[in-house]
Amino acid sequence: MSQMPDFSVLAATCPSRTSLARIANKWTAMVVSVLGNNGLMRFGDLRTRLDGISGKVLTETLRDLERDGLVTRHVHAEIPPRVEYELTPLGFTLHAPLLALCTWAEEHITEVLASRERYDVRNG
Amino acid sequence: MSQMPDFSVLAATCPSRTSLARIANKWTAMVVSVLGNNGLMRFGDLRTRLDGISGKVLTETLRDLERDGLVTRHVHAEIPPRVEYELTPLGFTLHAPLLALCTWAEEHITEVLASRERYDVRNG
DNA sequence: CAGAATCCTTCACGATACTG
DNA sequence: CAGTATCGTGAAGGATTCTG
């Protein structure tokens, strides 16, 4: 029987926490959700879909996801350049969980906003 | 039939994005996971479980979660003070999704570390 | 087009000290 | 004990410019 080493994100020095920090992140959630919904996508299209993201941040996010093995980068030898990204099988295992977060935010924003208003009235 | 206003986290100015930013966050994931697993918890116990978190950050995280209606704060009139936190019903709807992220990080950290090593060898 | 490089601002976070 | 207040640092993120 294979022995699972017990990693825990609750332990400050556990490497799994660095991975959690990468995936429990708003840009990651949005990138993985969009890539999972659309399959192969160009950098520019991704940038357009993720309204408001800067080129720098998208590049960094994608590079980090690539480094962690969640995204693959396909460079086409063309002019002008075309670079496409897609989820790896590993990355796709995150699609449902991260899409769930995006959906949760959209479905419950009314309740959240109401709660914020109540809180802010009670306090300063 | 009730009409769902179409909020989208992909729209830069949509308020749901502020909510996504709050929940798609490593501290939130850890706090909600631990609170969901243990029910009512004291501040100090929470601080101990979330190894490495500073008091300031835990306080801020809990206050933001309370403001968004995900956590309730119970203050007991005792000396020394005792303050307990628990998930609201709304907050509990996030328990499974956020726990899934923590579990994912732990279960896949070996693959992620291997991918990072390969990436770093190929590049600088 | 897809970035790399640069600069700058803001924020997250930690450490420390203090208080009811 | 559970904070608050203050300060300092590094990282996150944006705007702009440049290039193959």
Side-chain angles (χ1 to χ4, degrees):
Chain A
M1 311 200 4
S2 72
Q3 187 70 19
M4 257 294 278
D6 43 45
F7 291 112
S8 170
V9 294
L10 297 180
T13 60
C14 181
S16 67
R17 198 179 273 190
T18 68
S19 183
L20 178 64
R22 167 59 32 215
I23 66 178
N25 165 286
K26 85 174 168 177
W27 293 124
T28 296
M30 291 171 62
V31 166
V32 170
S33 294
V34 168
L35 276 182
N37 284 337
N38 299 312
L40 202 63
M41 284 184 80
R42 298 188 61 161
F43 181 88
D45 293 338
L46 212 34
R47 196 188 196 305
T48 302
R49 278 306 286 290
L50 305 175
D51 185 36
I53 196 172
S54 71
K56 180 195 169 201
V57 169
L58 180 54
T59 298
E60 289 169 350
T61 301
L62 287 169
R63 184 165 351 105
D64 289 341
L65 292 176
E66 188 195 1
R67 189 169 101 100
D68 280 11
L70 307 179
V71 156
T72 311
R73 182 165 177 269
H74 304 277
V75 183
H76 298 266
E78 301 173 7
I79 292 181
R82 184 167 100 243
V83 181
E84 293 172 309
Y85 295 87
E86 65 177 340
L87 293 183
T88 62
L90 181 62
F92 199 75
T93 65
L94 272 173
H95 180 238
L98 292 181
L99 182 59
L101 290 191
C102 294
T103 304
W104 191 98
E106 293 165 355
E107 287 180 346
H108 297 279
I109 183 59
T110 302
E111 294 169 74
V112 169
L113 289 178
S115 177
R116 285 182 190 172
E117 197 158 344
R118 269 180 274 117
Y119 183 94
D120 292 343
V121 168
R122 275 199 306 275
N123 311 280
Chain B
M1 311 203 5
S2 73
Q3 187 71 19
M4 256 295 278
D6 43 47
F7 291 112
S8 171
V9 295
L10 297 181
T13 60
C14 181
S16 67
R17 197 180 272 191
T18 69
S19 183
L20 178 64
R22 167 58 35 214
I23 66 177
N25 166 285
K26 84 175 168 176
W27 292 124
T28 296
M30 291 171 62
V31 166
V32 170
S33 295
V34 168
L35 276 182
N37 284 337
N38 299 312
L40 203 63
M41 284 184 80
R42 298 187 59 160
F43 181 88
D45 293 336
L46 213 35
R47 195 189 196 305
T48 303
R49 279 306 285 289
L50 304 176
D51 185 36
I53 196 172
S54 71
K56 181 193 169 203
V57 169
L58 180 54
T59 298
E60 289 170 349
T61 301
L62 287 168
R63 190 172 337 116
D64 288 342
L65 292 176
E66 188 194 1
R67 189 169 100 102
D68 281 11
L70 307 178
V71 156
T72 311
R73 182 166 177 268
H74 303 276
V75 183
H76 299 265
E78 300 173 7
I79 292 182
R82 184 169 98 240
V83 181
E84 294 172 309
Y85 295 88
E86 66 177 341
L87 294 183
T88 62
L90 180 62
F92 199 74
T93 65
L94 271 172
H95 180 238
L98 291 181
L99 183 59
L101 289 191
C102 294
T103 305
W104 191 98
E106 292 165 356
E107 288 180 346
H108 296 281
I109 183 60
T110 302
E111 295 168 74
V112 168
L113 289 178
S115 177
R116 284 182 189 171
E117 198 159 341
R118 269 180 274 118
Y119 183 93
D120 292 343
V121 167
R122 278 198 305 274
N123 312 278

